Amino acid sequence: MRLEINGCAIELIRGDITLEATGAIVNAANSRLAGGGGVDGAIHRVGGPAIMDECRKIGGCPTGSAVITTGGNLKAGYVIHTVGPVYRDGAHNEPTLLANAYRESLSLALSKGIKTISFPSISTGTYGYPAKAASEVALKTILAFVKAHTGLTLVRFVLFSDADLKTYSGTLLRLV
Ligand code: AR6
C-alpha cells in the first residue's frame, strides 16, 4: 500500500528491514543499546560490528528517544536506534512513549538530511505491544509529522508478517 502526503510517500510492505536501501533504517533497540533478538539481532548480524562499536560509545538511549549510528555493512546508510515501551496494560504511558519513539526517529533523520527511512513495527514483538493499537499510534504520529515537516520523501514500514501488513494497512485506510 502506498499513498502520498505533502510530498512524502508512505509505504507499507512485507519484508526484511535488513535488506532495505533507504537512507536509514530504524532499529527497535533496548535502552542499553546492548543488542538482542528480533529485528535488533538481525540488524547487528547483517550490519556487522561497526554498529555495536558506535552503540557502546553512545552508551544508551532512554525509552522514546533515538540515536544514530553507521549502517555498517547494510545497504542503508544509517541505523537510527529507538526504544519503544514495554507494554503492560496501555495505562502506563505506552502510547505517548511509542509516539515519541517514532517522532524522535523522524526528527533525527531530518536533522541529518536523510530523506528516506524504513521502520519496523516497534514494540510489537518482545515488548508485547498489541499490533493494532501500536499501528494506530505509529501511523498517526507519522502522518502528523509529514504534514508538519517537509524534507522526507519516503517513510516505509517493513512488516515482517502478512498479519502485521494487514493490520497496518487497515489502520492506514481508516486514518486517511
Ligand atoms: N525485519 C522487519 N521486522 C522484523 C525483523 C526483520 N528482519 N525481525 C523481526 N521483525 P522486536 P520490540 C519484527 O521483538 O518488540 C530486542 O531483543 C517482529 O516480527 O524485534 O520493540 C531488543 O534488543 C516484530 O513485529 O522488537 C529489545 O530488547 C517487530 O519486528 C526488544 O527486543 C518488533 O519486534 C525490543 O522489542
Side-chain angles (χ1 to χ4, degrees):
M1 181 173 175
R2 184 179 209 271
L3 56 88
E4 198 159 317
I5 289 172
N6 197 22
C8 182
I10 311 287
E11 274 185 14
L12 308 179
I13 64 166
R14 196 181 77 78
D16 176 351
I17 204 165
T18 65
L19 304 176
E20 288 291 297
T22 40
I25 62 171
V26 176
N27 182 20
N30 53 64
S31 57
R32 291 172 298 121
L33 300 177
V39 72
D40 195 5
I43 287 172
H44 282 286
R45 228 173 8 256
V46 178
I51 299 175
M52 187 50 82
D53 288 348
E54 285 190 31
C55 284
R56 278 199 204 95
K57 283 181 195 141
I58 295 166
C61 177
T63 303
S65 296
V67 300
I68 190 164
T69 67
T70 174
N73 301 327
L74 292 161
K75 290 180 191 157
Y78 295 92
V79 178
I80 292 174
H81 305 260
T82 193
V83 183
V86 176
Y87 189 86
R88 288 164 71 185
D89 55 6
H92 287 81
N93 217 23
E94 295 97 328
T96 301
L97 291 169
L98 186 61
N100 291 350
Y102 281 99
R103 202 179 307 107
E104 291 294 313
S105 299
L106 293 165
S107 292
L108 188 50
L110 261 193
S111 75
K112 296 286 174 189
I114 293 163
K115 295 189 177 313
T116 60
I117 182 168
S118 304
F119 281 95
S121 175
I122 297 163
S123 279
T124 65
T126 309
Y127 281 179
Y129 210 122
K132 187 169 176 221
S135 72
E136 279 161 16
V137 173
L139 289 165
K140 269 186 198 161
T141 305
I142 283 168
L143 292 175
F145 190 92
V146 300
K147 281 177 191 161
H149 302 83
T150 51
L152 293 168
T153 59
L154 171 65
V155 179
R156 177 184 283 153
F157 267 95
V158 182
L159 286 327
F160 209 44
S161 68
D162 284 330
D164 281 348
L165 177 59
K166 204 170 157 191
T167 300
Y168 274 73
S169 302
T171 299
L172 186 54
L173 282 173
R174 277 197 305 280
L175 290 177
V176 293

